[in-house]
Amino acid sequence: MANTQSAKKATRKIAARTEVNKARRSRVRTYLRKVEEAIASGDATAAKAAFLVAEPELMRAASKGIVHKNTASRKVSRLSSRVRALDA
């Protein structure tokens, strides 16, 4: 248990930040799921549209520290190649 005022405030800040991070992580996962579902259905136009929305969301999460920058780049790259493969 926190004893000092600063430790109590830090605990409150951590709790608030955790809630924000949870919401952001959930948002990213939702957009990724939409792309995955569009790819699975074989709908190239829906997959491309979903990817165009998901990509900036993933990079935003990387800039906020929700996911590592390389992880976000890797996911974008892999999704991009899968979306492009639907067109071919």
Side-chain angles (χ1 to χ4, degrees), residues 21-39:
N21 288 345
K22 271 188 198 173
R24 284 190 177 131
R25 192 174 302 115
S26 173
R27 185 177 164 93
V28 167
R29 287 178 180 155
T30 300
Y31 283 115
L32 290 178
R33 193 189 74 246
K34 287 179 182 177
V35 177
E36 292 287 347
E37 287 172 354
I39 290 171

Side-chain angles (χ1 to χ4, degrees), residues 5-86:
Q5 283 297 110
S6 61
K8 289 176 182 174
K9 181 178 179 181
T11 304
R12 290 194 306 270
K13 284 175 68 176
I14 290 166
R17 180 58 43 205
T18 299
E19 287 303 311
V20 171
N21 288 345
K22 271 188 198 173
R24 284 190 177 131
R25 192 174 302 115
S26 173
R27 185 177 164 93
V28 167
R29 287 178 180 155
T30 300
Y31 283 115
L32 290 178
R33 193 189 74 246
K34 287 179 182 177
V35 177
E36 292 287 347
E37 287 172 354
I39 290 171
S41 71
D43 189 357
T45 56
K48 189 174 285 189
F51 175 73
L52 288 175
V53 176
E55 192 255 342
E57 198 63 43
L58 242 176
M59 297 317 285
R60 191 173 300 119
S63 71
K64 301 292 182 186
I66 307 303
V67 293
H68 193 274
K69 182 176 166 253
N70 291 355
T71 302
S73 294
R74 184 181 68 242
K75 285 181 183 289
V76 166
S77 174
R78 289 179 181 175
L79 280 176
S80 173
S81 63
R82 288 173 64 196
V83 168
R84 271 187 271 117
L86 284 178

